[in-house]
Amino acid sequence: MDSTQLVKGVLDLAVLTVVSTDDGYGYDVVRRLRTAGLDDVGEASVYGTLRRLYSAGALTSYVVASDEGPHRKYYGITRTGRDMLAFQGKTWTAFAQTMAGLLNTAGVTP
Amino acid sequence: MNDTRVLQTTTPKDVRAYVARVRLALSDLPCEDADELTQGMEADLLELAAEAGGLRARLGTPETYADDLRAAADLPPRRAGRTPSQRPVRSGIARWWARGESLMARPWAADLRPVGWVLRGFVGYCLVAYFIGGNLHSLLGWTVGAALSFWVGRATRTWKHRRRTVLVAINLSAALIGIFVVPSVFNQTTTGPSIIEGPPTMEGLARNGEPVTGIVVYDSTGRRVEQPRAFDQNGSPLLTPPDGESYTPPVSLPPLTQQTPASSATAVPPVPLATTPPTASAPPPASTKRDVTPSSGSGADRTGAPQPSSPAAATKRP
C-alpha cells in the first residue's frame, strides 16, 4: 500500500500535532514531520494543509520579520485547533486499534 | 522561461523567480488566498534550497508546485487556458504582474497599504478639483478624499482577479496623472495669494525694506566727505557701483574698527548709516536718486574725477 495515500488521510492530524507543541513555519513543520518518521510528506501538501487549517480557524498565523532575508510566517494552534486535535486524535486511535485488531485475527502483527 | 532547466545551485534570485511563478500560477485565486499561500514561501524555499539543492528537482516546476498547493489547500484547480508560452506578451505582462503581487505580499508592503489609500484619496481629490474645478487646497476635500479612498481600499481588498486588474489600472492612471497635477497644487501653495509674502529679496543696500540708493557722509566737524567708501564687517563694499564693478578698497585702507578723528576721502571711518547728518552745517539733500548713477546729469555737481565708488558719492555740496 502506498503510504503517501495514508499520509494524506492523516495529514491534518499530523500537522496539528506538530504545531500543538510549538509554533512553526512551513518548512519547519515539514522537517519535524519527517524527523518523526513521515518521510513521504510533501512540501506542497504541508503548506496546503497549513493554509486549509488556518482557513478552518484551527491555526493562527503571524509573520516574523527578519533583518537579513525574507520574513517567515509562523503558525500556531488555536483553541479550535486543539479541540480538533483531541477529536481527530481519538478517531484515529480508535480506527488504528480496530485495524490492529482486525489484522491480528489474520495473524498480522506489527 | 526555460522549464526544463534544473537548478543545481539555487540563489535567492532563483527562489524569488520561482515564488513569482508560483504566484502567477495562483493568480486566478482571490488575492487573499494567493497571499496566504505564498507569504513566507520565499524564506522557506531558501532554507529548503540550502539543504536540498535544486528547487525544481525537489518540488517540480512552479506550476506543478502551485497545483499541489491548491489541491492540498482544497482550492479550485487552475482555470483552463492557454499556457504562458503560447502568449509571450501576455505572459510577460503577467510575470511582471506576479512579481508586483509578490512584492505587495511582503509584510511591510501590506503595512503600507493604508498609507497608499490615504495618499490616493489626496491625489484623487486633487484630480477632481483640478479637472472639474474647485479649491485644490481644501482641507475638507483632502480629508473626504482620503476617507473615501480608505473605505474603497478596505472594500475592494478581497476583489478577485479581473476587477482587481481594473482597480490597479485606475490606480496607476491616477498616479501617472497625479504626477503632473499634484506638483501644481504645491506650487500654488507657495505663491498663492493666501500666503503673506515677505519683501522681495533685493540686491544692494536696503533699510527697512527700502533700497538705499545714495549715502551722504559727513565727518565729525560737519564737513561733507567726498567719495566716501563704506564696507561691511567682511570688508565688502556696502554699495556696488551701478555698472556692476566691484570696488576694490585701496591697500592703505585702515581697519574698520580704527577710529580716525578727521576723516578724509581715502581713510574711511565706520559709517553709522543710521545717524542723521548734522543738519546745522549741512542739510541733507532733498533728492539722492538722481545722483546715484554716474550719468551725465549729475556730472556737473561732481569733482570731475573718476568715481569708482560713485553710489556712495554725495549728491550736493553743502
Side-chain angles (χ1 to χ4, degrees):
Chain A
M1 186 187 278
D2 185 5
S3 63
T4 321
Q5 293 301 317
L6 284 176
V7 167
K8 268 186 188 165
V10 291
L11 201 52
D12 283 21
L13 182 57
V15 167
L16 280 174
T17 310
V18 163
V19 179
S20 70
T21 52
D22 246 331
D23 292 2
Y25 53 90
Y27 190 58
D28 176 50
V29 174
V30 173
R31 205 159 32 200
R32 277 150 71 182
L33 289 171
R34 285 187 183 149
T35 310
L38 296 172
D39 299 324
D40 294 324
V41 74
E43 277 87 0
S45 314
V46 174
Y47 286 103
T49 303
L50 285 167
R51 159 71 193 155
R52 196 158 31 76
L53 289 171
Y54 172 81
S55 298
L59 297 180
T60 175
S61 81
Y62 52 93
V63 171
V64 175
S66 158
D67 290 337
E68 290 160 9
H71 300 336
R72 285 208 178 286
K73 186 176 185 179
Y74 277 78
Y75 288 93
I77 197 161
T78 63
R79 200 183 183 84
T80 313
R82 288 198 186 281
D83 293 345
M84 202 184 273
L85 172 63
F87 179 76
Q88 287 191 10
K90 271 181 196 162
T91 310
W92 168 256
T93 314
F95 178 77
Q97 279 173 355
T98 308
M99 276 305 293
L102 180 65
L103 288 168
N104 203 22
T105 59
V108 182
T109 46
Chain B
M1 202 174 282
N2 187 1
D3 280 331
T4 55
R5 187 176 55 146
V6 175
L7 298 171
Q8 290 306 327
T9 50
T10 310
T11 63
K13 203 178 159 196
D14 293 330
V15 171
R16 270 199 297 279
Y18 191 96
V19 174
R21 282 187 61 187
V22 173
R23 248 201 105 79
L24 175 62
L26 299 171
S27 58
D28 59 300
L29 292 175
C31 179
E32 296 281 289
D33 284 334
D35 281 354
E36 189 59 45
L37 277 173
T38 49
Q39 204 177 36
M41 183 186 274
E42 200 179 319
D44 279 20
L45 293 193
L46 271 173
E47 195 173 330
L48 187 146
E51 280 184 8
L55 278 184
R56 282 161 200 253
R58 180 77 173 260
L59 304 176
T61 64
E63 290 73 27
T64 320
Y65 184 65
D67 289 345
D68 292 348
L69 275 177
R70 281 169 189 269
D74 272 355
L75 291 165
R78 200 169 354 159
R79 276 201 305 242
R82 282 199 267 176
T83 55
S85 55
Q86 285 171 294
R87 289 177 154 169
V89 175
R90 185 175 262 223
S91 75
I93 294 170
R95 206 155 36 234
W96 278 103
W97 177 277
R99 261 180 212 177
E101 295 258 281
S102 142
L103 191 71
M104 290 311 289
R106 302 267 175 112
W108 57 263
D111 288 347
L112 275 178
R113 226 171 261 177
V115 179
W117 295 340
V118 168
L119 263 177
R120 180 180 61 181
F122 166 71
V123 174
Y125 173 76
C126 289
L127 290 182
V128 169
Y130 189 83
F131 288 110
I132 295 176
N135 182 11
L136 279 171
H137 304 111
S138 160
L139 194 65
L140 179 71
W142 291 346
T143 313
V144 169
L148 204 66
S149 168
F150 190 81
W151 179 79
V152 169
R154 277 182 59 83
T156 58
R157 198 150 52 164
T158 52
W159 273 18
K160 289 182 190 177
H161 198 55
R162 197 164 295 253
R163 288 200 293 173
R164 213 174 120 72
T165 313
V166 174
L167 196 71
V168 170
I170 292 173
N171 281 349
L172 282 178
S173 322
L176 275 176
I177 308 171
I179 287 171
F180 297 100
V181 171
V182 173
S184 74
V185 175
F186 290 105
N187 286 343
Q188 287 181 17
T189 306
T190 48
T191 58
S194 59
I195 304 297
I196 298 161
E197 289 182 15
T201 52
M202 55 178 80
E203 295 201 349
L205 202 59
R207 185 172 140 81
N208 292 338
E210 292 290 319
V212 175
T213 53
I215 294 174
V216 186
V217 180
Y218 297 88
D219 68 15
S220 58
T221 64
R223 275 167 53 90
R224 250 282 294 282
V225 178
E226 293 298 334
Q227 299 181 36
R229 282 126 206 212
F231 301 92
D232 67 8
Q233 68 280 0
N234 298 318
S236 309
L238 280 175
L239 289 175
T240 314
D243 57 0
E245 281 177 3
S246 64
Y247 174 69
T248 313
V251 182
S252 62
L253 197 71
L256 285 176
T257 47
Q258 188 182 331
Q259 192 71 40
T260 320
S263 52
S264 67
T266 50
V268 182
V271 182
L273 286 176
T275 45
T276 316
T279 48
S281 56
S287 166
T288 58
K289 278 197 171 178
R290 195 171 64 88
D291 303 307
V292 172
T293 37
S295 57
S296 59
S298 61
D301 293 336
R302 295 199 175 145
T303 55
Q307 297 174 0
S309 59
S310 57
T315 55
K316 282 181 184 174
R317 286 166 183 277

